[in-house]
Amino acid sequence: MLPVVALVGRPNVGKSTLFNALTRTRDALVADVPGLTRDRKYGYTRVGPRSCVVVDTGGLVEAMEGVERLMAEQTLKAVEEADRVLLVVDARQGCVPADEHVAAVLRRSGKTVVVVANKAESLDPELAAADFHQLGFGAPVAVSAAHASGIEALMTRAVEGLPVPEESTDEGTAAAGEIRVAVVGRPNVGKSTLINRLLGEERLVAFDQPGTTRDTVLVPFERDGQRYTLIDTAGVRRRARVSDAVEKFSIVKTLQAIEEANVVIGVLDAHDTIAEQDASLLGLIAEQGRALVIAVNKWDGIPPDQRDAIRDGLDLRLDFLGFAPVHFISARHGTGVGELMGSVQSAYRAAMRELPTKELTAALEQAVAMHQPPLVRGRRIKLRYAHQGGRNPPVVVIHGNQTQHVPDAYRRYLENHFRQAFRLKGTPMRIEFRTDENPYAGRRNVLTPRQQRKRQRLIRNRRAGKGKR
């Protein structure tokens, strides 16, 4: 399972800024105001080849009244579910009594704690961390979250000693040829009912009450000769509404299931409007690079005159997921479920597809011929060739000159072109640009081949008397 790392500290020490730096997003709201973060916020980060779940928390204070008490409860829940805790402190202010209070709380938790001396830009790292040795958690790590400095060393230290999952064929890891499918969504949208329909039996408890599923459940089965492992997950609801002592782990479990899956079925309720929670969860799936199929459940109960309005709402709110096929199904009656699994297979094949270098380069040349890259300081960006850099999701690496200046709009254009050229339906894809090195850079008095030919022509002309006027 993915390790869980929680960011804890007093208010306004830069926890949310560090969260954004770790996840390479702007998901956490950041401002120079204490107490801005109140709920737990979850995201992914990567340390070398392995991923981690990162949890941002509200500030812990000694005098807890009103909303501060609720914030503290959320923070303590994050500490309980974490494998490592990062105690974030302010290197410019030094160790203050509020830091000592947070350290005492973490000491009672029994968790392994790493002290992070944030805001250490323009400070000597050893001097920035020296004042925090007294907290008793070993050598602090000096970072600057605002400048993304020291992040790699911090996370290497944070996951040190945690077990790395080994490849196996037990129920925790898919066997060769098996497709792992995670079924995710808000509570009571019909995830367990959908899995029971696929299995043809009441394998999972399905009840008209939110929160029936409490943990991830792995169910192997075979359909049309293809083996699957279905992963049923607990419903993800807004953290402000999570109070049950067991349900607090549901978000972490769901994120871990997404990481382990090959394909994710995002289940929506046709009777509810698409909420920010739905869009956020589906966006996390796309960010993680997982193939995605969207299932709008309970479609049989929608009057025909309302269906077009629901489709329009989906197109509007989920326009950033244009690669994902959408199916309108009834898990209870089985309507549309067969087509749903057909899309799951297609999405898996697209995510795992091998893209030959020759065909990728030909598609790149076609895209450039149809719409050239923009000019940068009067010089055209040149994209020379492409090759595959990874699968699940497909990664296309493009080599050329000045590729660091390729605008986001042109990147999206190339993504759409490759997706259509190779029929990559159901999976996100990533494009990486690499600028080829100039072999003559840094070498003085060395002519390029073109300059050498021009010089030789001048010499021949002069010897023949054509160079004189």
Side-chain angles (χ1 to χ4, degrees):
M1 302 295 286
L2 295 183
V4 180
V5 179
L7 310 181
V8 181
R10 61 183 173 87
N12 212 30
V13 292
K15 297 184 295 299
S16 295
T17 305
L18 179 57
F19 176 88
N20 287 343
L22 290 173
T23 59
R24 298 180 183 179
T25 66
R26 296 183 179 179
D27 287 349
L29 190 60
V30 175
D32 192 17
V33 178
L36 195 62
T37 302
R38 294 183 175 178
D39 292 325
R40 288 171 286 168
K41 180 172 282 293
Y42 294 80
Y44 292 104
T45 188
R46 184 168 291 276
V47 185
R50 68 188 295 181
S51 293
C52 302
V53 175
V54 185
V55 191
D56 186 21
T57 67
L60 273 178
V61 296
E62 191 166 0
M64 295 183 294
E65 296 181 357
V67 69
E68 285 85 3
R69 181 177 58 80
L70 299 177
M71 290 165 54
E73 290 177 359
Q74 292 291 318
T75 300
L76 294 177
K77 290 175 182 177
V79 171
E80 186 176 348
E81 67 192 8
D83 299 295
R84 288 285 190 275
V85 177
L86 302 185
L87 171 53
V88 186
V89 294
D90 190 331
R92 292 179 299 190
Q93 294 184 0
C95 189
V96 299
D99 294 324
E100 295 176 356
H101 166 70
V102 177
V105 172
L106 296 180
R107 204 172 288 115
R108 290 194 295 269
S109 72
K111 300 287 184 176
T112 300
V113 178
V114 177
V115 178
V116 184
N118 191 27
K119 306 181 184 180
E121 61 270 19
S122 73
L123 299 176
D124 179 87
E126 293 186 2
L127 291 178
D131 196 28
F132 300 100
H133 282 271
Q134 60 182 295
L135 297 177
F137 294 117
V141 181
V143 304
S144 171
H147 297 84
S149 171
I151 300 300
E152 186 175 349
L154 167 64
M155 291 309 296
T156 301
R157 167 89 175 274
V159 300
E160 185 178 6
L162 290 177
V164 179
E166 299 180 358
E167 294 294 330
S168 64
T169 57
D170 59 10
E171 76 167 2
T173 306
E178 188 174 275
I179 303 176
R180 297 178 66 92
V181 182
V183 183
V184 305
R186 284 191 289 168
N188 209 33
V189 294
K191 300 182 296 296
S192 298
T193 304
L194 174 58
I195 292 181
N196 287 339
R197 170 59 59 182
L198 290 170
L199 297 175
E201 61 174 309
E202 297 298 316
R203 168 64 175 79
L204 303 175
V205 176
F207 188 65
D208 188 17
Q209 176 180 321
T212 303
T213 301
R214 297 300 188 122
D215 199 354
T216 53
V217 181
L218 283 75
V219 184
F221 89 112
E222 186 171 323
R223 182 186 179 95
D224 297 330
Q226 173 64 55
R227 289 179 297 165
Y228 299 87
T229 294
L230 294 174
I231 310 173
D232 188 23
T233 63
V236 177
R237 69 170 85 191
R238 287 180 53 202
R239 285 174 294 281
R241 297 181 179 178
V242 176
S243 58
D244 187 273
V246 177
E247 190 181 353
K248 65 187 178 183
F249 293 102
S250 65
I251 297 175
V252 170
K253 290 287 189 180
T254 299
L255 294 182
Q256 291 172 332
I258 292 169
E259 169 68 17
E260 294 177 356
N262 301 120
V263 183
V264 177
I265 298 177
V267 184
L268 307 176
D269 190 334
H271 293 269
D272 295 339
T273 56
I274 304 302
E276 182 181 349
Q277 180 77 15
D278 295 313
S280 177
L281 180 59
L282 296 177
L284 266 177
I285 296 166
E287 255 180 46
Q288 197 63 10
R290 291 296 170 260
L292 174 63
V293 178
I294 299 174
V296 183
N297 193 25
K298 308 180 185 179
W299 192 245
D300 55 314
I302 301 297
D305 58 336
Q306 297 180 14
R307 295 186 174 185
D308 289 340
I310 294 175
R311 289 191 179 97
D312 292 341
L314 283 170
D315 293 339
L316 180 64
R317 290 181 174 269
L318 303 180
D319 61 331
F320 63 98
L321 298 173
F323 65 88
V326 180
H327 290 267
F328 299 90
I329 68 169
S330 170
R332 175 174 295 177
H333 300 102
T335 308
V337 173
E339 292 82 359
L340 176 70
M341 294 307 294
S343 289
V344 167
Q345 285 199 38
S346 299
Y348 175 75
R349 287 194 295 267
M352 304 299 292
R353 183 172 175 181
E354 291 187 8
L355 307 174
T357 299
K358 183 178 180 180
E359 295 179 17
L360 279 174
T361 301
L364 174 64
E365 292 172 350
Q366 183 185 32
V368 171
M370 292 169 58
H371 180 40
Q372 289 192 348
L375 293 170
V376 177
R377 298 175 184 173
R379 296 178 58 196
R380 181 77 63 186
I381 296 174
K382 294 183 180 180
L383 306 179
R384 303 188 185 281
Y385 68 97
H387 64 86
Q388 188 170 11
R391 294 186 294 175
N392 195 29
V395 179
V396 177
V397 181
I398 299 177
H399 294 256
N401 294 340
Q402 304 187 91
T403 57
Q404 67 274 19
H405 299 300
V406 175
D408 290 338
Y410 197 80
R411 179 193 294 267
R412 290 192 294 271
Y413 162 72
L414 290 176
E415 286 181 3
N416 291 331
H417 182 81
F418 283 123
R419 190 183 305 283
Q420 293 174 4
F422 294 96
R423 298 179 181 178
L424 300 178
K425 184 69 173 175
T427 178
M429 67 175 303
R430 294 172 181 166
I431 292 183
E432 297 178 2
F433 293 100
R434 295 182 186 173
T435 298
D436 295 332
E437 294 184 3
N438 183 354
Y440 301 99
R443 297 170 61 182
R444 306 178 65 179
N445 301 324
V446 176
L447 301 179
T448 66
R450 183 177 179 181
Q451 291 171 329
Q452 290 176 1
R453 291 193 296 270
K454 185 176 180 180
R455 182 179 181 184
Q456 289 172 357
R457 282 198 302 270
L458 288 172
I459 293 174
R460 286 197 301 269
N461 290 341
R462 286 174 181 171
R463 286 176 178 173
K466 296 180 182 179
K468 298 179 181 179
R469 296 187 181 273

